[in-house]
Amino acid sequence: MFTVGAVVAVALIVLTAACTSAAAGDGRRVEEGGGDAARGEVTYDGRALVVKGTRRMLFSGEMHYTRSTPEMWPKLIANARKGGLNVIQTYVFWNVHEPVQGQYNFEGRYDLVKFIREIQAQGLYVSLRIGPFIEAEWKYGGFPFWLHDVPNITFRTDNEPFKQHMQRFVTQIVNMMKQQGLYYPQGGPIIISQIENEYQMVEPAFGSGGPRYVRWAAEMAVSLQTGVPWMMCKQNDAPDPIINTCNGLICGETFVGPNSPSKPALWTENWTTRYPIYGNDTKLRSTEDIAFAVALFIARKKGSFVSYYMYHGGTNFGRFASSYVTTSYYDGAPLDEYGLIWRPTWGHLRELHAAVNLSSEPLLFGTYSNLSLGQEQEAHIFETELKCVAFLVNFDKHQSPTVVFRNISFQLAPKSISILSECRTMVFETAKVNAQYGSRTAKVVESLNNIHTWKAFKEPIPEDISKDAFTGNQLFEHLSMTKDETDYLWYIVSYKYRPSDDGQLVLLNAESRAHVLHAFVNTEYVGSVHGSHDGPGNIILNTNISLKEGQNTISLLSVMVGSPDSGAHMERRSFGIREVSIQQGQQPLHLLNNELWGYQVGLYGEGKRIYTQEEASSVEWTEINNLTYHPLTWYKTTFAAPVGNDAVALNLTSMGKGEVWVNGESIGRYWVSFKAPSGQPSQSLYHVPQHFLKPTDNLLVLVEEIGGNPLEITVNTVSITTVCGNVNELSSPALHTQGKDPEVRLRCQRGKHISAIEFASYGNPAGDCTTFSTGSCHAALSESVVKQACIGKRGCSIPVSPAKFGGDPCPGIQKSLLVVASCR
């Protein structure tokens, strides 16, 4: 069934894709992902997915069509392909496709078919994670909220109402893919699909209904006859023929392995960083650690499919981020929020992919063995009659031991894996990063500080219960009232105050299970409180208030910063205000829970859609004057689009918390007042896709909850302004180049060129790409050689060789080349 020749040809195709990407430009390629006539089903065995009759080594990157724009998709996919990927993986987002039961939306950035066709046009495969529960730091885990109101429903268990809706949606997506000819046997790019998502994490909560549901979901999926395998991630007991897969940081260590010898080891989520949440500092995962984890999974688990979550994170536009998750999503991924390549992760992983693909034949068809090389060192070998590859692993985080493997000595860097082609030639080291580094800069192109261009509108504070659409003698649950169509729910109650003679203080106490609570008494702001992602589930506001004699109105604004995305029994989760009381001096506590409450869903400005050009005039805007740092205020102005093709972002550091729209498109929530432990906002820059903009008169509207200064907002362009390479002369030459020597390779983003060399030293330069200086050994020609090779060009390469720099400046000393260049 399998032939060595076929595998070699496939390996060469995969390797060549990275080598020829620069010449390919924006051209379309179809040699991988589809376009042929019917080609037979995708199957699998104990080593790999079997595509077109042969086992495949697959590197995948997760990117979500909903978190970018159709105009961004071609470049994102092209850069993924150039990075050595041959699969794009995505979830399917039920709540964007069926926001109202029976009403569907597959337009714009929700055009799933268009996204898949773009992947196919560029010659890549697709891994389609239908779910339909997806988590993904996406509101309500991807479920449409109307599902919550289906009678007698219990999510994700052996519950007939839930199963009927789940089966209906999954079937609809599968049929849509079939009708468009997008499954591999039809000539399309989809080679694998996923049903459910990390169910094992919640399964015990459902008792015997959990296993029954797993079996049902598997049988339902298989019955749809897609011609490609199905998988379940984090489901060790996935029923045959479903493949159980791993999610996590170190699946080479934590994965229990396939639950059948006939299933391959697949890693569906290799977390490239940690998703950011408001109130936390960004935590980036090191390039070296990601590469180590991938190599270990391939070596130890015989892994043949690795997907990076995320390869491009993008932007949580609108209100789609889940609880406390920032608008920017996985900005530290190989392709950042804007689609730029600036961390060395992209290039280092490209080298890893090339090294693995170089030895795909023994990895996929060879005999596996392993041996100990020391207390914390081991070798994993894959060997056929003609080919061999070895992975030398060093788990020691501090020492660089020398090991002997097949009569050859190798020095291993701390916590590293070295890949040996033909079991003797080192072609890649996870701990040695020779890829280009970059520095991303946000440049202010317009300051929106002209007070005369700004207008303000004070959000009305509701105080007349008789005008409220809903009333009741109880505190209603937040999401049941809002249906998750707004973050905001007003709770309004009247309180009759009789002052005491001793002038005792009056204390308002409110307890809520929402995320933020703002309190107003007789329309005057009296205080706020908020929670956090990892804090207690309830928040408590205690504040002294001033009341007038007689009737007073207490207006409480309950705010959700995203709905939950995970956990068992999401349909039972309760949010919103739970208890409200008044304490007047030493008098008994007056509980207000059972008083007559009025409710207003959403903000007045939201309901009027005053953030759109068409409806902005439906309210009376005033001069901004003294309305900066004023709670619950809308602001609007206009600005011109920056010239050029650089990414655009708004710096909202001067604001507090709210939501922002450009030309009627919500670019997401902001919450810069919630500082991280570093004292900085978790997110300051908010991406405005180029497609949202017109040349002039772009309408910018913000709703500010707690107070900020819009006059300090700036429009910025975001680009890579500095590139750097630091390569040792003993490094292995890059596999995607033809050179025999290691090289420093620099490349500016499209539309820019190398304008200056900030630093260049061949010798033993001190420091790295952020802090650098010449060392005791320095070739005098370093700067002139680099300038001649690079100035005025988009990219350049300089061999790390004495011959290039007029000879060896210091014999006997190990040398490196460190170059830092400016891109303009």
Side-chain angles (χ1 to χ4, degrees):
M1 181 175 180
F2 307 110
T3 66
V4 171
V7 176
V8 173
V10 167
L12 289 174
I13 287 173
V14 174
L15 186 58
T16 303
C19 300
T20 60
S21 60
D26 288 330
R28 298 292 188 258
R29 302 169 69 255
V30 294
E31 57 202 44
E32 293 278 357
D36 300 341
R39 297 162 292 181
E41 295 189 350
V42 178
T43 59
Y44 62 80
D45 59 20
R47 291 292 280 270
L49 294 180
V50 177
V51 184
K52 210 171 184 177
T54 192
R55 295 171 180 165
R56 294 300 311 266
M57 180 66 66
L58 298 167
F59 290 106
S60 168
E62 185 114 6
M63 55 179 70
H64 298 151
Y65 53 102
T66 57
R67 284 174 159 137
S68 55
T69 66
E71 294 74 20
M72 296 172 65
W73 296 343
K75 186 176 179 181
L76 292 171
I77 295 164
N79 281 335
R81 176 174 58 81
K82 293 172 186 176
L85 302 190
N86 43 19
V87 182
I88 298 296
Q89 181 165 276
T90 185
Y91 280 123
V92 177
F93 297 76
W94 189 357
N95 55 11
V96 306
H97 295 309
E98 193 180 4
V100 177
Q101 186 174 355
Q103 297 180 22
Y104 299 97
N105 182 4
F106 291 91
E107 303 297 320
R109 64 175 178 268
Y110 306 147
D111 192 338
L112 175 60
V113 169
K114 182 176 181 178
F115 181 66
I116 293 175
R117 288 210 181 281
E118 180 61 38
I119 297 168
Q120 179 180 22
Q122 297 206 37
L124 279 71
Y125 298 125
V126 171
S127 170
L128 192 64
R129 308 177 78 187
I130 299 176
F133 173 79
I134 60 172
E135 191 169 338
E137 293 71 60
W138 192 259
K139 79 171 186 175
Y140 222 49
F143 285 159
F145 194 80
W146 56 258
L147 206 63
H148 169 277
D149 296 331
V150 171
N152 303 314
I153 197 166
T154 303
F155 295 171
R156 304 176 71 198
T157 188
D158 187 19
N159 171 268
E160 287 305 317
F162 176 75
K163 291 193 299 182
Q164 288 172 13
H165 283 289
M166 174 175 167
Q167 182 169 7
R168 177 185 56 79
F169 180 74
V170 171
T171 302
Q172 181 182 10
I173 294 299
V174 167
N175 287 343
M176 177 185 292
M177 299 300 105
K178 287 181 178 180
Q179 290 162 8
Q180 297 292 327
L182 295 176
Y183 283 106
Y184 184 83
Q186 301 173 288
I190 302 172
I191 58 170
I192 191 167
S193 298
Q194 179 179 305
I195 194 72
E196 249 296 333
N197 190 73
E198 297 188 345
Y199 185 70
Q200 184 173 292
M201 308 288 287
V202 299
E203 186 174 354
F206 299 103
S208 60
R212 289 198 305 271
Y213 167 68
V214 170
R215 291 191 295 272
W216 170 85
E219 292 169 3
M220 182 268 290
V222 172
S223 72
L224 296 174
Q225 298 182 339
T226 61
V228 305
W230 288 86
M231 58 185 174
M232 286 183 172
C233 62
K234 278 193 177 181
Q235 191 66 39
N236 294 341
D237 61 352
D240 292 340
I242 309 292
I243 304 169
N244 62 299
T245 72
C246 186
N247 290 358
L249 290 167
I250 50 173
C251 283
E253 300 173 58
T254 60
F255 186 38
V256 298
N259 62 21
S260 164
S262 64
K263 298 178 183 179
L266 311 183
W267 189 355
T268 30
E269 289 188 16
N270 178 9
W271 302 328
T272 54
T273 183
R274 297 311 297 252
Y275 63 87
I277 55 178
Y278 289 116
N280 281 15
D281 288 303
T282 300
K283 297 178 181 178
L284 296 176
R285 187 179 181 191
S286 76
T287 298
E288 297 90 334
D289 189 58
I290 299 172
F292 180 91
V294 173
L296 188 66
F297 180 72
I298 293 170
R300 266 193 170 182
K301 303 296 182 180
K302 306 184 192 71
S304 57
F305 178 102
V306 176
S307 190
Y308 300 101
Y309 191 99
M310 299 288 294
Y311 199 77
H312 165 71
T315 306
N316 288 313
F317 299 112
R319 301 175 43 263
F320 281 107
S322 64
S323 301
Y324 294 105
V325 172
T326 61
T327 294
S328 175
Y329 190 64
Y330 275 84
D331 187 38
L335 303 178
D336 73 4
E337 180 181 5
Y338 310 95
L340 300 173
I341 301 166
W342 61 280
R343 298 185 68 228
T345 308
W346 182 89
H348 195 52
L349 293 179
R350 176 175 64 164
E351 283 297 305
L352 170 61
H353 303 153
V356 170
N357 286 325
L358 186 66
S359 298
S360 60
E361 180 184 339
L363 285 170
L364 294 171
F365 298 97
T367 301
Y368 168 78
S369 61
N370 63 72
L371 58 93
S372 173
L373 298 174
Q375 190 171 356
E376 295 187 84
Q377 295 77 39
E378 60 192 35
H380 300 265
I381 306 103
F382 298 81
E383 202 163 9
T384 66
E385 290 184 5
L386 301 175
K387 299 287 184 179
C388 182
V389 64
F391 292 71
L392 307 187
V393 183
N394 178 26
F395 287 103
D396 193 318
K397 297 179 180 179
H398 307 289
Q399 302 299 319
S400 301
T402 297
V403 299
V404 177
F405 176 74
R406 297 195 175 181
N407 300 318
I408 304 175
S409 295
F410 297 93
Q411 186 175 37
L412 306 181
K415 195 186 178 183
S416 69
I417 298 178
S418 298
I419 300 178
L420 306 185
S421 175
E422 302 303 340
C423 289
R424 61 176 181 271
T425 304
M426 190 178 296
V427 293
F428 183 80
E429 298 173 83
T430 61
K432 285 191 178 179
V433 180
N434 296 324
Q436 172 179 292
Y437 289 72
S439 176
R440 188 179 70 182
T441 302
K443 176 185 177 183
V444 176
V445 294
E446 185 177 357
S447 296
L448 305 181
N449 55 8
N450 185 345
I451 194 171
H452 302 294
T453 65
W454 282 98
K455 300 292 182 183
F457 171 70
K458 292 174 62 176
E459 172 73 20
I461 310 300
E463 56 178 339
D464 188 346
I465 295 176
S466 66
K467 293 182 179 180
D468 293 326
F470 306 97
T471 58
N473 292 93
Q474 61 178 306
L475 295 170
F476 291 140
E477 196 274 329
H478 184 119
L479 291 180
S480 296
M481 295 293 290
T482 65
K483 308 304 181 186
D484 207 10
E485 293 179 1
T486 172
D487 288 347
Y488 305 103
L489 177 64
W490 282 105
Y491 292 71
I492 308 105
V493 70
S494 182
Y495 177 74
K496 190 172 184 178
Y497 174 61
R498 296 182 180 87
S500 58
D501 294 334
D502 55 8
Q504 290 179 321
L505 294 174
V506 178
L507 180 69
L508 171 66
N509 179 83
E511 180 180 343
S512 175
R513 294 190 66 83
H515 301 147
V516 182
L517 180 63
H518 303 300
F520 298 79
V521 174
N522 299 323
T523 74
E524 293 296 319
Y525 175 75
V526 297
S528 294
V529 66
H530 70 79
S532 63
H533 185 273
D534 300 318
N538 63 313
I539 56 176
I540 299 174
L541 175 68
N542 286 297
T543 185
N544 291 320
I545 59 175
S546 296
L547 298 176
K548 63 186 180 182
E549 186 172 357
Q551 293 296 330
N552 294 262
T553 302
I554 299 171
S555 307
L556 303 176
L557 183 59
S558 175
V559 187
M560 295 292 289
V561 189
S563 51
D565 71 334
S566 59
H569 296 294
M570 284 205 317
E571 74 284 351
R572 300 181 189 174
R573 298 282 295 277
S574 179
F575 298 93
I577 297 174
R578 307 293 292 275
E579 182 175 296
V580 182
S581 63
I582 294 286
Q583 179 78 54
Q584 188 174 337
Q586 299 303 313
Q587 296 181 20
L589 192 74
H590 186 161
L591 194 64
L592 304 181
N593 288 26
N594 296 323
E595 300 291 333
L596 179 64
W597 287 86
Y599 295 88
Q600 177 184 303
V601 175
L603 301 179
Y604 177 83
E606 259 187 317
K608 289 288 188 179
R609 293 174 54 83
I610 65 174
Y611 49 82
T612 66
Q613 193 74 55
E614 297 78 15
E615 302 298 335
S617 59
S618 63
V619 298
E620 186 175 345
W621 298 83
T622 65
E623 300 297 323
I624 197 169
N625 295 329
N626 61 347
L627 289 178
T628 58
Y629 300 107
H630 194 280
L632 272 190
T633 303
W634 294 79
Y635 301 103
K636 75 167 183 172
T637 190
T638 59
F639 67 95
V643 176
N645 296 317
D646 286 343
V648 179
L650 297 173
N651 189 325
L652 301 182
T653 307
S654 64
M655 302 303 291
K657 179 187 180 300
E659 188 172 352
V660 55
W661 293 262
V662 173
N663 294 327
E665 294 273 6
S666 174
I667 63 172
R669 301 183 183 98
Y670 66 87
W671 196 358
V672 293
S673 62
F674 190 2
K675 299 294 193 290
S678 66
Q680 297 300 312
S682 301
Q683 182 181 350
S684 299
L685 294 174
Y686 289 78
H687 180 208
V688 184
Q690 289 273 3
H691 181 64
F692 288 5
L693 297 172
K694 52 189 180 180
T696 59
D697 297 321
N698 293 284
L699 177 64
L700 170 62
V701 178
L702 306 94
V703 59
E704 172 57 51
E705 294 177 29
I706 59 178
N709 186 1
L711 298 176
E712 295 180 14
I713 294 174
T714 59
V715 181
N716 301 260
T717 54
V718 181
S719 63
I720 311 304
T721 53
T722 304
V723 292
C724 170
N726 187 6
V727 178
N728 187 281
E729 65 181 354
L730 299 182
S731 297
S732 303
L735 290 172
H736 63 277
T737 68
Q738 304 300 318
K740 296 180 180 179
D741 296 313
E743 296 176 330
V744 166
R745 297 178 63 85
L746 303 177
R747 188 170 180 83
C748 298
Q749 69 182 81
R750 181 168 300 209
K752 299 186 184 298
H753 63 273
I754 296 172
S755 59
I757 302 300
E758 296 181 17
F759 180 82
S761 178
Y762 174 65
N764 61 352
D768 53 29
C769 287
T770 55
T771 57
F772 39 80
S773 62
T774 55
S776 58
C777 173
H778 171 71
L781 295 178
S782 297
E783 187 172 338
S784 61
V785 167
V786 172
K787 282 184 174 180
Q788 184 177 2
C790 299
I791 291 292
K793 300 176 182 178
R794 183 186 174 194
C796 61
S797 60
I798 309 102
V800 185
S801 165
K804 186 68 177 177
F805 295 92
D808 193 335
C810 37
I813 293 180
Q814 190 179 124
K815 286 166 284 295
S816 297
L817 174 60
L818 172 58
V819 179
V820 181
S822 297
C823 294
R824 294 291 183 268

